Amino acid sequence: MNIKKVFIAVLSAANAASISVGLILTAAGSSLAKSQSYNQAALRWDSGGSCTQLSCFFTEDAGFTVDNTQGVMSDLLSNLKNIGVTPEDGKELIPVAYSVDAGTMTIRSDTTGRAEAKVTAAGGDFFLFRDFMLLDGAFFTESDIMQDGAVIDRRLAWSLYGSTDVAGMNIYINGTKFYISGVIEDPESKEEKKTAGDYPRAYISYDGAKLLGSDISPAASGISGGGTGGIDVPTGDSYLKKISCYECIVPNPVENYAYNSVKEYFDGAYKDKIKIVNNTERFSPSKRAKAYKKLSNYAVSDKPLVYPYWENASRIIEFKLSVIYFFRRLTYIIPVLTALLLLVVLWRAGGRLRRKLTAKTSDSITKAVYYHGQKKRQKKLQKEEQKIKQIKNGSQN
């Protein structure tokens, strides 16, 4: 059997396998990244891709509150104005959202429905960032006249009323009356289900949560004891100024401008009490492949950060994508080596071709010179013969 043919067949098969595995890993990575739609809020806000979504997660003792959000906004708007970026008429330039875990509470219906649920206090354009699938009703907003609306998930709706068509009905959170503003789908991806836990979920506004007063859990406030040992449970007003997750979508006229602007602001008072995530770029193949060597960082945290379930789900995806895209890079090795081999073969073949062309060109030039010389000599002989004839004819006359 021809060894050369066997080598070509094996090399072709190896390239086909590498390319196939690379395509499979690419599809798997793309599917995982798309499953965490909360990281795509910037594209939902501006499909042109000129904005960056950023998330800031704080430690328990950071002390970042609703009162501080205006300072962040003022600083970002001032920086953007200095480089000529200003809001269009009637359009918000920097949408923001913030939230905190308000604890696990008992929620009842007007009938016999009852459930324990995780309650999140949310402000700003919270639902723009979450991209929840709305099954019934609508999301509450800060512009609502009454702030006693609640968005609940499918599981909680079924536990309370046995249906998802329950918008407008009453619920009682730790005995305080709210109405159901909207019903959303339960967490769908495997990662979100894992990090969301076993409890159904409800979302209320910061102002709405003040109605709960001392029923708010002290755990996330940084005050231990839960009202025992001489430490009082914080009131609704004092607790509900706290933020554990702050998010924003910032115009990014220059690479990393948005991230650097937010980081510069928070590096002052919160430098060691915050983690800033660039949601827009976190799943990029190159970034995740480079992070493969630092995967141990996901197992150990040097800060007691408070991550909501959607961020924990995205961190799981980051881990998986780092592995996927690192091994996808390995699939490039055989095609790249094959391409280099082809270049060497072509270069050598080109060398032989150049030598043949040079030899042919040299022969052609030699022949051309020879024939040119022959023609010159022939013309010279013809002229000499004519002169001799002329002389002979003259002597005869």
Side-chain angles (χ1 to χ4, degrees):
M1 185 178 289
N2 191 314
I3 296 177
K4 184 177 180 180
K5 289 183 178 179
V6 172
F7 175 76
I8 292 174
V10 171
L11 189 62
S12 299
N15 275 280
S18 294
I19 293 171
S20 297
V21 172
L23 291 173
I24 291 171
L25 292 176
T26 298
S30 177
S31 177
L32 282 173
K34 289 179 180 178
S35 70
Q36 299 304 302
S37 61
Y38 114 81
N39 296 283
Q40 299 159 22
L43 285 176
R44 290 194 292 274
W45 176 255
D46 178 12
S47 59
S50 62
C51 294
T52 296
Q53 177 188 353
L54 301 164
S55 296
C56 305
F57 304 100
F58 298 90
T59 60
E60 291 283 4
D61 61 344
F64 186 72
T65 70
V66 175
D67 296 335
N68 302 126
T69 58
Q70 190 56 47
V72 184
M73 178 66 75
S74 297
D75 186 78
L76 293 176
L77 289 174
S78 177
N79 289 341
L80 287 169
K81 185 177 181 180
N82 290 338
I83 60 172
V85 180
T86 55
E88 298 178 8
D89 291 340
K91 185 176 181 181
E92 190 177 11
L93 184 62
I94 304 177
V96 302
Y98 43 91
S99 58
V100 69
D101 180 7
T104 303
M105 303 184 188
T106 301
I107 302 182
R108 300 177 184 275
S109 68
D110 279 330
T111 58
T112 58
R114 177 184 180 280
E116 297 294 313
K118 289 281 188 180
V119 179
T120 298
D125 294 305
F126 179 79
F127 295 106
L128 165 67
F129 288 81
R130 296 290 71 75
D131 194 32
F132 290 139
M133 182 184 293
L134 191 64
L135 303 177
D136 188 38
F139 299 123
F140 59 76
T141 69
E142 290 186 332
S143 61
D144 293 343
I145 296 176
M146 300 296 291
Q147 290 292 310
D148 56 349
V151 171
I152 64 175
D153 65 14
R154 178 195 288 270
R155 275 197 299 171
L156 185 54
W158 274 95
S159 296
L160 297 177
Y161 285 105
S163 171
T164 56
D165 299 325
V166 293
M169 295 185 178
N170 296 324
I171 58 173
Y172 301 86
I173 303 177
N174 281 7
T176 301
K177 185 178 179 180
F178 287 78
Y179 77 93
I180 300 174
S181 173
V183 179
I184 58 174
E185 185 58 88
D186 296 333
E188 296 183 88
S189 73
K190 181 173 66 175
E191 292 77 18
E192 289 175 342
K193 289 178 180 178
K194 182 176 182 178
T195 56
D198 297 328
Y199 289 99
R201 291 184 172 265
Y203 301 87
I204 58 179
S205 69
Y206 270 75
D207 285 339
K210 291 178 183 178
L211 300 172
L212 297 173
S214 60
D215 288 329
I216 293 292
S217 166
S221 70
I223 299 178
S224 61
T228 63
I231 300 177
D232 294 329
V233 175
T235 65
D237 284 343
S238 63
Y239 172 76
L240 288 170
K241 290 181 180 180
K242 180 178 179 178
I243 293 172
S244 62
C245 173
Y246 176 84
E247 303 164 277
C248 56
I249 297 173
V250 183
N252 196 46
V254 182
E255 186 177 4
N256 291 327
Y257 173 85
Y259 178 84
N260 291 335
S261 296
V262 172
K263 186 176 186 299
E264 182 180 355
Y265 179 86
F266 284 112
D267 269 353
Y270 308 98
K271 186 174 183 179
D272 298 322
K273 301 179 179 182
I274 187 174
K275 180 177 178 60
I276 303 173
V277 174
N278 186 331
N279 303 83
T280 303
E281 298 179 6
R282 72 187 308 177
F283 294 151
S284 69
S286 60
K287 189 170 184 178
R288 295 273 47 89
K290 290 178 181 178
Y292 178 77
K293 295 180 180 180
K294 301 178 181 179
L295 285 183
S296 59
N297 293 347
Y298 284 82
V300 179
S301 177
D302 59 348
K303 301 174 184 177
L305 295 164
V306 181
Y307 290 126
Y309 84 85
W310 53 83
E311 174 59 19
N312 280 324
S314 289
R315 286 171 62 80
I316 293 175
I317 295 298
E318 280 185 329
F319 185 94
K320 292 181 177 180
L321 289 180
S322 293
V323 176
I324 287 173
Y325 288 134
F326 174 79
F327 282 99
R328 190 184 73 165
R329 280 190 171 186
L330 297 183
T331 65
Y332 298 159
I333 293 176
I334 293 177
V336 168
L337 291 177
T338 302
L340 292 175
L341 179 60
L342 287 173
L343 287 175
V344 171
V345 171
L346 289 173
W347 176 256
R348 288 182 176 179
R352 290 194 294 270
L353 182 61
R354 285 195 301 273
R355 286 193 294 272
K356 288 181 180 180
L357 289 174
T358 301
K360 286 184 177 181
T361 303
S362 179
D363 289 343
S364 298
I365 292 173
T366 301
K367 288 179 180 180
V369 171
Y370 173 77
Y371 288 131
H372 182 68
Q374 286 289 89
K375 286 182 179 180
K376 286 182 71 176
R377 283 193 295 271
Q378 189 174 5
K379 286 182 179 180
K380 187 177 181 180
L381 288 173
Q382 288 175 351
K383 286 182 180 181
E384 289 178 353
E385 288 177 355
Q386 288 177 356
K387 285 182 180 180
I388 292 172
K389 286 181 180 181
Q390 289 175 358
I391 292 171
K392 286 182 179 181
N393 292 333
S395 61
Q396 290 176 358
N397 292 331

